[in-house]
Amino acid sequence: MHRRSAMTALAGMTALASVLTGCGVIGGQSADLQIYSARHYDLEGAFGQFTEETGITVEFISGDDAELLERLKAEGDDTPADVFMTVDAGNLWNGARQDELAPISSTVLDEAVPDDLRDAEGRWYGLALRARTVTYNPGSVDPSEFDAVETYAGLADPKWKGRLCMRDATSAYTQSLVAGLIDLHGRERALEIVEGWVANDVAIMSNDILLLEAIDAGTCDVGINNHYYLARTLEENPDLDVDLYWASQEGAGTHVNISGAGVVKGSDNPEDAQRLIEWLATDGQNAFVDANHEFPVNPAVQPEPVIAAFGDFTRMPLNAEAYGSLNAEAVDLLAEAGYR
Ligand code: FE
């Protein structure tokens, strides 16, 4: 068991400490489990509940995915970390590829998490599902205008000129969406699609909330958003003039991504680490995903009411390897298309 506090761990890592965005402790200064987390959404609630139910105390250190992965590599077997938690499937795939995650065998997880949302070798498991789909202003768009087969590609049609808002090219959300398009259509066609968005004078937004506000204000008619930002914004302002359209329902399905976790290879407490991941995928699913309006990965668990109101949808199967291995190609393609 670990007897190092998060602050001690930070002090020992001065070079990296400056890039970390914060740390938190649940259950005292010498917790049983140390979690390196790139997930910033209301972690305390779920982890606190886990500690209450199991007696296993949890400490977490936050940073972004790349920083935390670098830190794991630098620390090697001496790492205080037991669990690595990320957003974006490509980052989970990367953690496994760089040999920082231990394979585990768990019937609980095999039953709770669909095949495509977990690593075949048990090195990582998706725990929360987010959809990146089309949002629009119902005052200026009729949903029948969307291409129901290839909705993302359809936004390259000249009829959307001057009407589009999307996220910046540096966002992992944009990069994984484009990696998904390369995986689905091949590079040449994916480039045509992104060039079509650029030709439509797409307005680039630096975050998903600003994007929703621009649609609400009528600055743009259509955008692409992670569904939970709409749920969050609607909760604050039920009169928001933004509706959600489930993309590509008559085609390949809506693009999704996951937030998930794996047991760190250098963990001194892999049993409790596995128990935490199993809990998050089962009894703790609602506590973990609802606070951020995400979809449970576990099909036996119901989504919370705000997102349930968005209606059922068919998702594209998740190809974590494509999101990870095609990331550099996606970044390159975005630059080539002049997408900022
Ligand atoms: Fe987000």
Side-chain angles (χ1 to χ4, degrees):
M1 284 209 217
H2 295 293
R3 294 296 170 220
R4 287 175 77 184
S5 73
M7 292 318 293
T8 310
L10 275 171
M13 295 296 297
T14 23
L16 287 164
S18 61
V19 296
L20 295 171
T21 55
C23 62
V25 179
I26 294 160
Q29 282 291 313
S30 50
D32 301 320
L33 285 176
Q34 306 274 342
I35 299 173
Y36 282 9
S37 177
R39 186 179 162 90
H40 305 296
Y41 319 98
D42 295 315
L43 293 168
E44 291 85 352
F47 290 167
Q49 195 177 320
F50 172 74
T51 299
E52 249 171 60
E53 289 182 20
T54 62
I56 299 168
T57 53
V58 172
E59 217 169 51
F60 61 92
I61 291 175
S62 310
D64 82 19
D65 295 282
E67 292 156 7
L68 292 171
L69 187 55
E70 280 312 305
R71 183 169 172 156
L72 282 177
K73 282 162 67 180
E75 291 169 340
D77 285 347
D78 296 330
T79 185
D82 300 293
V83 173
F84 179 44
M85 183 167 282
T86 84
V87 286
D88 193 276
N91 290 317
L92 291 165
W93 179 84
N94 235 334
R97 190 184 60 116
Q98 301 199 30
D99 204 23
E100 294 302 327
L101 300 175
I104 60 174
S105 163
S106 163
T107 329
V108 172
L109 286 169
D110 290 351
E111 280 170 14
V113 184
D115 285 1
D116 65 318
L117 305 183
R118 58 182 160 87
D119 177 42
E121 294 173 42
R123 294 168 298 180
W124 55 262
Y125 294 86
L127 296 170
L129 185 78
R130 61 269 302 278
R132 193 150 186 85
T133 194
V134 164
T135 45
Y136 66 97
N137 188 313
S140 45
V141 177
D142 187 290
S144 67
E145 292 182 74
F146 295 121
D147 182 334
V149 180
E150 291 187 350
T151 309
Y152 306 100
L155 296 180
D157 188 288
K159 74 178 172 190
W160 299 110
K161 192 170 174 85
R163 303 171 71 187
L164 300 181
C165 279
M166 292 186 195
R167 273 300 294 276
D168 52 293
T170 58
S171 161
Y173 300 153
T174 305
Q175 293 171 8
S176 284
L177 179 68
V178 170
L181 290 174
I182 296 171
D183 186 41
L184 188 64
H185 299 293
R187 190 186 195 279
E188 200 177 327
R189 170 102 173 99
L191 178 63
E192 266 174 31
I193 293 166
V194 177
E195 284 175 340
W197 297 343
V198 173
N200 279 341
D201 298 330
V202 58
I204 300 295
M205 300 284 156
S206 59
N207 71 56
D208 273 43
I209 298 282
L210 288 175
L211 213 163
L212 288 167
E213 287 170 356
I215 297 170
D216 176 55
T219 313
C220 346
D221 293 343
V222 178
I224 297 179
N225 279 100
N226 281 6
H227 80 277
Y228 56 85
Y229 290 107
L230 179 59
R232 196 187 296 171
T233 310
L234 278 172
E235 215 171 35
E236 284 159 18
N237 173 18
D239 297 328
L240 194 80
D241 274 330
V242 183
D243 283 350
L244 176 148
Y245 177 82
W246 288 124
S248 303
Q249 290 300 284
E250 291 173 27
T254 299
H255 173 88
V256 295
N257 210 324
I258 48 172
S259 186
V263 176
V264 171
K265 204 178 171 192
S267 167
D268 296 333
N269 190 1
E271 294 79 15
D272 283 349
Q274 176 166 340
R275 193 160 167 207
L276 172 66
I277 296 172
E278 288 175 345
W279 183 84
L280 289 170
T282 54
D283 296 350
Q285 269 279 271
N286 282 122
F288 186 66
V289 304
D290 290 2
N292 189 41
H293 300 291
E294 282 176 278
F295 289 98
V297 290
N298 187 335
V301 176
Q302 293 305 308
E304 56 84 27
V306 180
I307 59 169
F310 293 154
D312 290 336
F313 69 104
T314 302
R315 64 178 180 83
M316 206 184 294
L318 183 113
N319 185 347
E321 181 172 357
Y323 294 4
S325 66
L326 295 175
N327 179 270
E329 198 171 332
V331 170
D332 177 73
L333 185 153
L334 285 157
E336 186 179 338
Y339 185 110
R340 293 171 299 107

